[in-house]
Amino acid sequence: MLLSQIQGPQDLKKLSQEELEQLVVELRDEIISVTANTGGHLASSLGAVELIVALHRVFDSPRDRILFDVGHQAYAHKLLTGRRELFHTIRQRGGLSGFTKVSESEHDAITVGHASTSLANALGMAIARDLQGEDYKIVAVIGDGALTGGMALAALNKIGEMGKDMLIILNDNRMSISPNVGALAGYFKTLQVQKWVQDAEKVGKGLLERISPRLYELADRAKEATKMILHQENPFYAWNLRYVGPVDGHDLSGLIYMLERLKDLSGPTLLHVVTKKGKGLAAAEEDPTNWHGASPFNPKAPKAKKGGYTWSKAFGDAVVELAGREEKLVVITPAMREGSGLSEYARAYPDRFLDVGIAEDVAVTSAAGMALAGLKPVVAIYSTFLQRAVDQVIHDVAIEKLNVVFAIDRAGLVGGDGPTHHGVFDLAFLRTVPNLQIAAPKDALELRAMLAAALRQGGPVALRWPRGAVEPAPEGAWPECSWGRWEVLKEGSQVYILAFGKTLGYALEAAAGDPRVGVVNARFLKPLDLDTLAALGRNYKLITVEDHQKAGGFGSAVLEALEQLGLRSEVKVLGLPDRFTDQGKPDELHAEAGINAAGIRKALALFGITSGFPAPRAG
Amino acid sequence: MLLSQIQGPQDLKKLSQEELEQLVVELRDEIISVTANTGGHLASSLGAVELIVALHRVFDSPRDRILFDVGHQAYAHKLLTGRRELFHTIRQRGGLSGFTKVSESEHDAITVGHASTSLANALGMAIARDLQGEDYKIVAVIGDGALTGGMALAALNKIGEMGKDMLIILNDNRMSISPNVGALAGYFKTLQVQKWVQDAEKVGKGLLERISPRLYELADRAKEATKMILHQENPFYAWNLRYVGPVDGHDLSGLIYMLERLKDLSGPTLLHVVTKKGKGLAAAEEDPTNWHGASPFNPKAPKAKKGGYTWSKAFGDAVVELAGREEKLVVITPAMREGSGLSEYARAYPDRFLDVGIAEDVAVTSAAGMALAGLKPVVAIYSTFLQRAVDQVIHDVAIEKLNVVFAIDRAGLVGGDGPTHHGVFDLAFLRTVPNLQIAAPKDALELRAMLAAALRQGGPVALRWPRGAVEPAPEGAWPECSWGRWEVLKEGSQVYILAFGKTLGYALEAAAGDPRVGVVNARFLKPLDLDTLAALGRNYKLITVEDHQKAGGFGSAVLEALEQLGLRSEVKVLGLPDRFTDQGKPDELHAEAGINAAGIRKALALFGITSGFPAPRAG
């Protein structure tokens, strides 16, 4: 096995072309066999194997900086940069990150997980490099989906203006997580079908010769192998970028040949590489969407797992039913159709479904425009991605109290995706915004009740639920929701646990059978149920618990409300500590942070509630 | 006077061409004479007068929706839509907003103040219009600076893909607030010099005829008057947009002629209009940067006011001095060179100054790239604009504890710009972020101490100061800063006021001469000075006061810290109430919110501290 002899990128320089081809095969096998066990971003990583081998063959990491946008396509990069033996730990607690991470390896140039950040990072690095008189190379690998994100386009704009030396590789697989959208995507497709390749003989040469004699020479030499073409009539030209491509991203020798020749060019160059997501695993090639974030599978008979019923599906089912009776309802997603449970909705109501691509800000503000024009938009978004549209929530939606519902999925700790993806800051940045109402349902039925009530009652509303399993609600069931009222689920004589969202289950578990401990489904954070809080705060000790940072979250809101009520109740706030939480199973991570049943029991013990119960277990 | 007879846009339809030209003159006079009294966004509004008259002549507001990006160029629009008599109140407390505002007029299609939002709004509106079977027109007016913001580009991408009917007017004055930057700006310039206009005869006709016979016919007819041209070789073509222009934005009859002919075209059309910022006021035409947000001036002898010494200048002076001894220091601004006090720095250190244009996300993430490559970047940004880069602070900077300093200007209530611009949410969205340190200096000298200490000590640090005047610090003075320690400025026997940032002055005023009341410069929010807080919280009553929303701010952090310390101190939290604050003088607004000396005295009275002091005044 060749792969086991690769300690770092320098070892690739010694291999023959034949050995490199073999290495590609071994890398694919390793990626498939490990993700079959652990799950992970299989399809993207399979698509980028040749590209990554070629990059490490030609460039000199860590001296040269290779930046992977999103960083989930970089499994081959991890395997080639000294992390092969730890690779089986990927996305597990204490193991390798599923993305590139600066603190994990000197070969990881950026810490990443969200899309479209690589170009701004590359811009900053190029400025720093030149200012400090250094001369390393900077290569940013960015997908076609990520490149159409506004932040990437704005960075491109500045890169083009400054003319900084760097190579941008457009890894074009015609997919972000959902099939890619947007006019530029259509444009890339045009490039892919090689409209201009066909004209290259006629048009290209003259242009090339005029613009860059060096490239002209290359084009001439490389023509057969790479169908290289540089052409003015493409959007990158307007951005002052040298455009080269499209080239076949699975032709290893062609890629190496091309990179060798591009690496010393000055100024920004964009190399357009066409790859196939899932390459090498037939099932993933055929259905890259469902293989984007793969669950563990049988490598002999690979089949994308359907999985059980989830909060995402509960939302998707609810919104399909609601749309049937509420014709003003429209659903918007920033490139997360499947992840947000909207496949069926999008099929049923294609005219009332908008996928704006990887552009969370556009998702929120186009919802504002819809609300201004009389619709009732629901923005389906992950908590971690709503971080990218805070200003739009404030400036475009909340100031005018527009009727926009934010359906926030993946709130709280999400698991294997780790610190870049945990949805643990949303309550802090949302609850400071006037006019915005915030609630979390305890189950799928309450999700339906809240969604219907939110649309009925108007104004901006944020509803928040976690990643993972939930029991389905009965079809057609649309219970009433008493807006702004908490729900006392269990009476207690000494302490009340106020639980927001997912942690309610832990609270019930911790309090089970103990008449001293009450439990409240504190489902509304804003407006907070001051009546219930006052009644409880006057007479009982309180514990708050939430799946969010302690700083600025639900417990913090309770402390503020008590101050406002003039109550000095005894309160213990349970939430995530003031550090980033690495990846791991949510249960493990909750235990570690003390926001599970054991953690609540510890807090109860501080209030003297222990007897008759098993001693709290460590961790 | 014609203007006084205009009650609404319908009155424009009756005027002759000559009268319209006269109206333009009257509008300019009115804008100049009112802003001479009140100050305001003079230069942009002067540049857009003909365009606005033409729009209201041709389109039918409020049925047709005219969206002004940023909304500060729309003074003529306000004057033509029933707000002439209130126009003298613009930007004053209780008066007209300085931007377009939905709740102010049915003619204001969007509420706005931040750049680059109009296209996503227009997209949402177009979808809503078509879904509901309506047929009004949508016109978005966007500047060349705002159009290069990522959010606008991403929206354009989706608009092009969907082919929605709308007219996008690129109001190209070659300026955002600072001279515009970016490759696209260079491209617009190329368009302006009419490279293609010269070729129109040769190239344009054939293309036009092929692509749109209707436009071809128009082009042919309009050629002399408008130099209209439609051409494939421009970036908008890649976005599926019909491009028309450039046309002279001060040729009223030409504009009307063109708008008449474009208004019924289907699909998205971009009309490129070239205007001159400050048009009609020679001083503003010559120096549009200093006339962007004008202070009151003498209309007979207009001169941009220099103004007194400000926090922005204190920062600018500090950073010029620091850069001399700290060669790794680099300063980044998202299009706010003058506003952030950086003119001198940019002159002195052009290689260590980066203006990324209106792209706050790129500003923060390019700083991350610089920090990864060994520099010490300082991101100079207004509090309200940092809302646009929350994810980048978390994802690109804080996770890896990068050495990035955020120099946050305009924190707290800013005055005439009102609710879109008040910097009153930053503490909430920042303090929930692990690894981030947050402080506020009490004066220019402490700003220097904190800035130097932040660079020395590393990790991400947010420093925050208000808009407005401050005493200059002595040149060359660089005192030490005891990181994370509060400063007891006045001892007290019963109550301590913990003041964060600007409100410290109010606290000292409220406590002056009263031995019962102590005052703390609680300058570090994170890390919070737990030792000092514990010592005070055990023995005294506490009042916190801040220029920020109460929800999630400094007081909230104090409540959390007391919970963590297990202290049930008596605390009163003073901050902004849970609603958006309209424009007005900061002093007036602070009084209204009770976060001035009188408000603090009221809180002291609740703690029984009244005697010997004047009764708190109302409001």
Side-chain angles (χ1 to χ4, degrees):
Chain A
M1 191 179 173
L2 268 173
L3 183 53
S4 58
Q5 298 159 35
I6 306 291
Q7 301 303 315
Q10 70 286 355
D11 294 332
L12 262 74
K13 321 277 185 202
K14 310 166 198 158
L15 301 186
S16 68
Q17 180 63 35
E18 207 167 66
E19 287 170 319
L20 287 172
E21 300 281 1
Q22 189 195 326
L23 186 64
V24 164
V25 174
E26 291 181 15
L27 283 165
R28 282 219 165 81
D29 288 347
E30 182 73 6
I31 290 169
I32 292 171
S33 76
V34 167
T35 49
N37 272 322
T38 62
H41 287 107
L42 180 63
S44 320
S45 278
L46 287 177
V49 173
E50 286 89 353
L51 178 58
I52 286 169
V53 169
L55 284 167
H56 280 302
R57 169 72 169 212
V58 173
F59 290 91
D60 184 19
S61 173
R63 188 175 177 281
D64 294 336
R65 314 289 167 98
I66 305 172
L67 289 70
F68 292 98
D69 204 276
V70 187
H72 65 321
Q73 74 285 60
Y75 288 7
H77 163 79
K78 297 209 174 206
L79 287 166
L80 295 173
T81 51
R83 284 170 277 181
R84 195 184 56 82
E85 294 188 3
L86 288 172
F87 191 62
H88 68 280
T89 68
I90 195 161
R91 294 170 56 84
Q92 323 282 311
R93 187 165 172 233
L96 293 183
S97 166
F99 305 94
T100 62
K101 190 168 187 177
V102 169
S103 47
E104 184 177 292
S105 166
E106 60 180 356
H107 296 283
D108 289 2
I110 52 174
T111 291
V112 74
H114 292 186
S116 312
T117 69
S118 64
L119 298 187
N121 265 300
L123 169 66
M125 282 183 191
I127 292 170
R129 174 196 59 197
D130 297 350
L131 197 57
Q132 296 172 109
E134 297 173 293
D135 66 351
Y136 53 82
K137 311 293 179 195
I138 295 170
V139 185
V141 179
I142 182 167
D144 51 317
L147 184 59
T148 58
M151 185 187 173
L153 295 174
L156 209 57
N157 193 27
K158 191 69 194 178
I159 289 168
E161 183 210 6
M162 296 186 81
K164 286 288 171 194
D165 297 347
M166 69 174 69
L167 178 61
I168 299 166
I169 295 183
L170 168 58
N171 175 15
D172 181 4
N173 54 36
R174 312 259 26 254
M175 297 282 294
S176 53
I177 300 181
S178 303
N180 208 352
V181 300
L184 279 181
Y187 200 87
F188 296 152
K189 193 177 171 187
T190 314
L191 293 179
Q192 275 195 33
V193 297
Q194 303 177 344
K195 170 169 168 290
W196 292 305
V197 171
Q198 295 156 12
D199 301 333
E201 286 292 314
K202 285 183 295 183
V203 189
K205 277 193 177 183
L207 280 169
L208 271 175
E209 199 163 19
R210 211 169 62 237
I211 295 161
S212 164
R214 170 102 195 260
L215 270 172
Y216 168 72
E217 188 197 326
L218 292 175
D220 205 43
R221 283 168 46 198
K223 201 175 54 182
E224 288 312 310
T226 62
K227 297 179 182 155
M228 170 176 157
I229 180 167
L230 180 150
H231 204 287
Q232 269 193 306
E233 277 186 21
N234 94 38
F236 303 112
Y237 181 74
W239 268 307
N240 256 348
L241 298 178
R242 181 188 295 117
Y243 172 86
V244 182
V247 299
D248 179 353
H250 301 300
D251 171 5
L252 181 61
S253 63
L255 284 173
I256 291 173
Y257 182 92
M258 183 60 80
L259 291 175
E260 289 280 9
R261 273 140 199 89
L262 295 178
K263 76 172 179 166
D264 293 321
L265 289 179
S266 63
T269 299
L270 186 138
L271 173 64
H272 185 172
V273 174
V274 178
T275 61
K276 189 152 184 51
K277 221 169 162 174
K279 178 78 178 178
L281 185 69
E285 286 188 31
E286 277 159 33
D287 184 8
T289 299
N290 277 315
W291 284 88
H292 172 78
S295 305
F297 60 93
N298 176 356
K300 312 257 166 178
K303 230 173 124 175
K305 282 212 182 135
K306 278 288 172 190
Y309 201 77
T310 60
W311 281 97
S312 309
K313 286 182 186 163
F315 165 68
D317 288 347
V319 89
V320 167
E321 276 189 49
L322 255 184
R325 57 186 215 202
E326 172 52 89
E327 61 177 17
K328 300 288 185 195
L329 185 150
V330 180
V331 180
I332 303 165
T333 175
M336 288 290 160
R337 189 180 64 196
E338 282 72 25
S340 296
L342 291 168
S343 302
E344 194 188 329
Y345 176 87
R347 267 191 303 275
Y349 296 98
D351 294 343
R352 290 158 62 188
F353 173 74
L354 176 66
D355 180 351
V356 296
I358 303 180
E360 296 80 5
D361 42 13
V362 174
V364 172
T365 302
S366 62
M370 290 178 180
L372 283 166
L375 294 182
K376 296 186 172 182
V378 175
V379 179
I381 192 164
Y382 293 6
S383 169
T384 190
F385 297 136
L386 190 53
Q387 291 165 198
R388 308 187 125 198
V390 172
D391 186 53
Q392 287 72 25
V393 171
I394 297 171
H395 176 274
D396 298 311
V397 173
I399 290 181
E400 292 294 347
K401 278 199 207 193
L402 300 183
N403 297 332
V404 176
V405 175
F406 298 96
I408 304 174
D409 200 337
R410 310 288 205 272
L413 296 171
V414 295
D417 279 342
T420 53
H421 282 65
H422 293 316
V424 294
F425 308 109
D426 56 351
L427 299 179
F429 64 69
L430 290 175
R431 78 177 185 81
T432 192
V433 182
N435 297 341
L436 187 66
Q437 304 158 85
I438 306 170
K442 68 170 186 285
D443 56 26
L445 193 62
E446 198 165 75
L447 186 159
R448 296 160 78 94
M450 283 179 173
L451 193 59
L455 287 165
R456 216 168 32 236
Q457 101 142 33
V461 179
L463 303 177
R464 171 190 209 259
W465 48 83
R467 178 172 198 167
V470 73
E471 284 295 307
E475 205 173 313
W478 290 95
E480 283 304 305
C481 174
S482 191
W483 198 257
R485 304 297 298 181
W486 290 354
E487 187 186 26
V488 178
L489 294 180
K490 178 179 180 305
E491 304 280 343
S493 60
Q494 294 183 30
V495 179
Y496 271 83
I497 307 169
L498 313 178
F500 187 72
K502 173 167 180 158
T503 52
L504 184 61
Y506 298 137
L508 289 167
E509 188 186 341
D514 192 325
R516 296 166 297 182
V517 184
V519 176
V520 177
N521 174 19
R523 54 195 180 180
F524 286 92
L525 192 158
K526 198 172 176 183
L528 207 123
D529 184 348
L530 290 179
D531 293 342
T532 304
L533 179 64
L536 297 176
R538 263 188 213 103
N539 300 299
Y540 307 98
K541 296 172 181 178
L542 303 174
I543 294 172
T544 72
V545 56
E546 67 197 289
D547 193 8
H548 182 278
Q549 297 300 117
K550 237 183 102 159
F554 165 71
S556 177
V558 168
L559 294 174
E560 287 175 27
L562 290 169
E563 179 271 340
Q564 187 191 326
L565 292 165
L567 293 175
R568 292 164 69 195
S569 319
E570 212 168 328
V571 187
K572 187 83 200 125
V573 174
L574 302 183
L576 297 169
D578 191 27
R579 55 175 179 75
F580 285 98
T581 301
D582 280 339
Q583 77 271 11
K585 295 199 176 68
D587 290 354
E588 296 170 346
L589 300 175
H590 286 149
E592 200 170 80
I595 55 173
N596 63 351
I600 295 171
R601 281 196 209 101
K602 271 191 196 165
L604 285 167
L606 294 176
F607 284 156
I609 311 267
T610 50
S611 62
F613 278 81
R617 280 167 296 169
Chain B
M1 191 179 173
L2 268 172
L3 183 52
S4 58
Q5 298 158 36
I6 306 290
Q7 301 303 315
Q10 70 286 355
D11 294 333
L12 263 73
K13 321 277 185 202
K14 310 167 198 156
L15 301 185
S16 68
Q17 181 63 34
E18 208 166 66
E19 288 170 319
L20 286 172
E21 300 280 1
Q22 189 196 327
L23 187 63
V24 164
V25 174
E26 291 182 14
L27 283 164
R28 281 217 166 82
D29 288 347
E30 182 73 6
I31 291 169
I32 292 171
S33 77
V34 167
T35 48
N37 271 323
T38 61
H41 287 107
L42 179 64
S44 319
S45 278
L46 288 177
V49 173
E50 287 90 352
L51 179 58
I52 287 170
V53 170
L55 283 168
H56 280 302
R57 169 72 167 211
V58 173
F59 290 92
D60 184 19
S61 174
R63 187 174 177 280
D64 294 336
R65 315 288 168 98
I66 304 172
L67 290 71
F68 292 98
D69 204 278
V70 189
H72 64 324
Q73 74 284 62
Y75 288 7
H77 163 79
K78 296 208 175 208
L79 288 166
L80 295 173
T81 52
R83 284 170 277 182
R84 195 183 57 81
E85 294 189 1
L86 288 172
F87 191 61
H88 69 280
T89 68
I90 196 162
R91 296 170 55 85
Q92 323 282 312
R93 187 164 171 233
L96 293 182
S97 166
F99 305 94
T100 64
K101 190 167 187 179
V102 169
S103 47
E104 183 177 292
S105 166
E106 61 180 356
H107 296 283
D108 289 2
I110 52 174
T111 291
V112 75
H114 292 185
S116 311
T117 69
S118 63
L119 298 187
N121 265 302
L123 169 67
M125 282 183 191
I127 292 170
R129 173 195 61 196
D130 296 350
L131 197 58
Q132 295 172 108
E134 297 173 293
D135 66 352
Y136 53 83
K137 312 293 179 194
I138 295 170
V139 185
V141 179
I142 181 167
D144 51 317
L147 184 60
T148 59
M151 185 186 173
L153 295 174
L156 208 58
N157 193 27
K158 191 68 194 178
I159 290 168
E161 183 210 7
M162 297 186 81
K164 286 289 172 195
D165 298 349
M166 68 174 68
L167 178 61
I168 298 166
I169 295 182
L170 169 58
N171 175 15
D172 182 4
N173 54 35
R174 312 259 27 254
M175 298 281 293
S176 52
I177 299 181
S178 302
N180 207 352
V181 300
L184 279 182
Y187 200 88
F188 295 152
K189 193 176 172 188
T190 315
L191 292 178
Q192 275 195 33
V193 298
Q194 303 178 346
K195 169 168 167 292
W196 293 303
V197 172
Q198 295 155 12
D199 302 333
E201 285 292 312
K202 284 183 297 185
V203 190
K205 277 193 177 182
L207 281 169
L208 272 175
E209 199 164 19
R210 211 168 62 236
I211 294 161
S212 165
R214 170 100 195 261
L215 270 171
Y216 168 71
E217 188 197 325
L218 291 176
D220 205 44
R221 284 170 44 197
K223 203 175 52 183
E224 289 312 306
T226 64
K227 296 178 183 157
M228 169 176 159
I229 180 167
L230 181 150
H231 203 286
Q232 267 192 307
E233 275 186 24
N234 94 38
F236 303 112
Y237 181 73
W239 269 307
N240 256 350
L241 297 178
R242 180 188 296 115
Y243 172 87
V244 183
V247 300
D248 178 352
H250 301 300
D251 170 6
L252 181 61
S253 64
L255 284 173
I256 292 174
Y257 183 92
M258 183 60 80
L259 291 175
E260 289 281 8
R261 275 142 197 87
L262 295 178
K263 76 172 179 166
D264 294 321
L265 289 179
S266 63
T269 299
L270 186 139
L271 173 64
H272 185 172
V273 174
V274 179
T275 62
K276 189 152 185 52
K277 223 169 160 173
K279 179 78 178 179
L281 185 68
E285 285 189 32
E286 277 158 34
D287 184 7
T289 299
N290 277 315
W291 283 88
H292 171 78
S295 305
F297 60 94
N298 176 357
K300 313 256 164 175
K303 230 173 125 174
K305 282 211 182 136
K306 279 285 172 195
Y309 201 77
T310 61
W311 281 96
S312 309
K313 286 182 187 162
F315 165 68
D317 288 346
V319 89
V320 167
E321 276 190 49
L322 254 185
R325 56 185 217 203
E326 172 52 89
E327 62 176 16
K328 300 288 185 195
L329 186 151
V330 180
V331 180
I332 303 166
T333 174
M336 288 291 159
R337 189 180 63 195
E338 281 72 25
S340 295
L342 291 168
S343 301
E344 195 189 328
Y345 176 87
R347 267 192 302 274
Y349 296 98
D351 293 342
R352 290 158 62 189
F353 174 73
L354 176 65
D355 180 351
V356 297
I358 303 180
E360 296 80 5
D361 42 13
V362 174
V364 172
T365 302
S366 62
M370 290 177 179
L372 283 167
L375 295 181
K376 296 186 173 183
V378 175
V379 179
I381 191 164
Y382 293 6
S383 170
T384 190
F385 296 137
L386 190 53
Q387 291 166 197
R388 307 186 126 197
V390 172
D391 187 53
Q392 287 71 25
V393 171
I394 298 172
H395 177 274
D396 298 311
V397 173
I399 290 181
E400 293 294 347
K401 278 199 206 193
L402 300 183
N403 298 332
V404 177
V405 174
F406 298 96
I408 304 174
D409 200 337
R410 311 288 204 273
L413 296 171
V414 295
D417 279 343
T420 53
H421 282 65
H422 293 316
V424 293
F425 308 109
D426 56 351
L427 299 179
F429 64 71
L430 291 175
R431 78 177 184 82
T432 192
V433 182
N435 297 340
L436 188 65
Q437 304 158 85
I438 306 170
K442 69 170 186 285
D443 56 27
L445 193 62
E446 198 164 75
L447 185 159
R448 295 161 78 95
M450 283 181 173
L451 193 59
L455 286 166
R456 216 168 32 237
Q457 99 142 34
V461 178
L463 303 178
R464 171 190 209 259
W465 48 82
R467 178 172 197 165
V470 72
E471 284 295 307
E475 205 173 315
W478 290 96
E480 283 302 305
C481 174
S482 192
W483 198 259
R485 305 295 299 179
W486 289 355
E487 187 187 27
V488 177
L489 294 180
K490 176 179 182 303
E491 305 280 342
S493 60
Q494 294 182 30
V495 180
Y496 271 82
I497 307 170
L498 313 177
F500 187 73
K502 172 166 180 158
T503 52
L504 185 61
Y506 298 137
L508 289 167
E509 188 186 341
D514 192 326
R516 296 166 297 182
V517 184
V519 177
V520 177
N521 174 19
R523 53 196 180 179
F524 286 91
L525 192 158
K526 199 172 173 181
L528 208 123
D529 185 348
L530 290 179
D531 293 343
T532 304
L533 179 64
L536 297 176
R538 261 186 216 104
N539 300 299
Y540 307 97
K541 296 173 182 177
L542 303 174
I543 294 173
T544 72
V545 56
E546 67 198 288
D547 192 7
H548 182 276
Q549 297 300 115
K550 237 183 101 158
F554 165 71
S556 177
V558 167
L559 294 174
E560 286 175 29
L562 290 169
E563 179 272 338
Q564 188 191 327
L565 292 164
L567 293 175
R568 293 163 69 194
S569 320
E570 211 168 329
V571 187
K572 188 82 201 127
V573 174
L574 303 183
L576 296 169
D578 191 27
R579 55 174 179 76
F580 285 97
T581 302
D582 280 339
Q583 75 270 13
K585 295 199 177 69
D587 289 354
E588 298 169 344
L589 301 175
H590 286 150
E592 199 170 79
I595 54 173
N596 63 351
I600 295 170
R601 281 195 208 102
K602 270 190 196 167
L604 285 167
L606 294 177
F607 285 156
I609 311 266
T610 50
S611 61
F613 278 82
R617 281 168 295 171

